[in-house]
Amino acid sequence: MMECKVIGTLHNADIQTVHELLRSMSHSPVDRIAYHEIILKDPQRMRAPPKVRLQCPLPTPVSVRGKDDVLLEEMTTTKDESNCSWIMRHEGAPMRSSEATALPATVMEVLESHLKGSRGSIEAFWTSTMGLKLDHALMKDGNRYQLEHDDFDIEVLICRLRKLPDPMKPENAKYLVHNNFIVEIIAKSSKKDFREAAKAVGSFAEQLVPYVECQKAA
């Protein structure tokens, strides 16, 4: 699977406007999301190493404003150490060809699989079994919008990011990585049509200007 992505930032003052715009475009209800996210790297790969991203869904709060309102509540998590479900994403290095460089979105190959286990067993798995090292860990919470643009399914995430002092304890998240919201615009495609998917992502991102100025994901 190929993934085409751009990222940007959204000021707090504009969140309601962008939320209403995206909700009007979406073909399904807005999802409230929260993830404990661990980013790993292979210490043997020196240049542009592929990433392994582990994501564990967390309980999300119920909005006191109703299901269609914008995300503004503070996220909290619970200490659930038992049998968590994890998504493991193997992310290849971004394509660097002259053709890919000219596209408006970053293009990379992504493979996803699913794991189940406690936080402790997952940590032992990546260190002992896979030989990977921790790069950083985050708690991510926000909204997910799903829509269609130029014949591609587009996913838009608007999230807060919090760094974790202890990578295995999202309940101890202390501070925001960024004072504003992070915006990710993503389309998935086959190897055959990633060019069109990247152009669709870039074209959709233009519709969020001037509220969000996106750039290719690193």
Side-chain angles (χ1 to χ4, degrees), residues 90-131:
H90 293 263
E91 300 179 353
M95 294 178 65
R96 301 296 187 190
S97 67
S98 57
E99 180 186 28
T101 302
L103 294 172
T106 296
V107 181
M108 68 181 75
E109 187 169 6
V110 175
L111 298 174
E112 291 187 355
S113 55
H114 295 267
L115 304 173
K116 203 158 192 177
S118 67
R119 295 175 189 168
S121 65
I122 291 295
E123 185 174 16
F125 171 73
W126 89 60
T127 54
S128 301
T129 306
M130 298 188 69

Side-chain angles (χ1 to χ4, degrees), residues 113-174:
S113 55
H114 295 267
L115 304 173
K116 203 158 192 177
S118 67
R119 295 175 189 168
S121 65
I122 291 295
E123 185 174 16
F125 171 73
W126 89 60
T127 54
S128 301
T129 306
M130 298 188 69
L132 300 174
K133 288 192 174 181
L134 175 72
D135 189 69
H136 61 282
L138 301 167
M139 189 181 79
K140 177 187 289 187
D141 71 286
N143 281 359
R144 176 171 54 211
Y145 307 82
Q146 300 178 76
L147 47 99
E148 187 175 309
H149 181 72
D150 289 350
D151 297 324
F152 285 92
D153 289 327
I154 302 288
E155 181 178 79
V156 181
L157 304 179
I158 299 181
C159 298
R160 299 182 185 91
L161 300 181
R162 301 176 189 275
K163 276 196 174 179
L164 304 181
D166 184 328
M168 301 311 294
K169 293 184 178 180
E171 62 271 10
N172 292 341
K174 296 296 185 183

Side-chain angles (χ1 to χ4, degrees), residues 16-33:
Q16 184 71 46
T17 301
V18 174
H19 168 73
E20 291 175 356
L21 175 63
L22 291 172
R23 184 158 58 90
S24 70
M25 297 177 176
S26 298
H27 55 57
S28 59
V30 178
D31 293 326
R32 186 77 162 92
I33 60 168

Side-chain angles (χ1 to χ4, degrees), residues 28-48:
S28 59
V30 178
D31 293 326
R32 186 77 162 92
I33 60 168
Y35 288 102
H36 175 195
E37 187 165 282
I38 299 168
I39 294 84
L40 309 168
K41 287 188 177 180
D42 184 346
Q44 305 303 317
R45 302 288 293 270
M46 301 303 293
R47 291 192 60 191

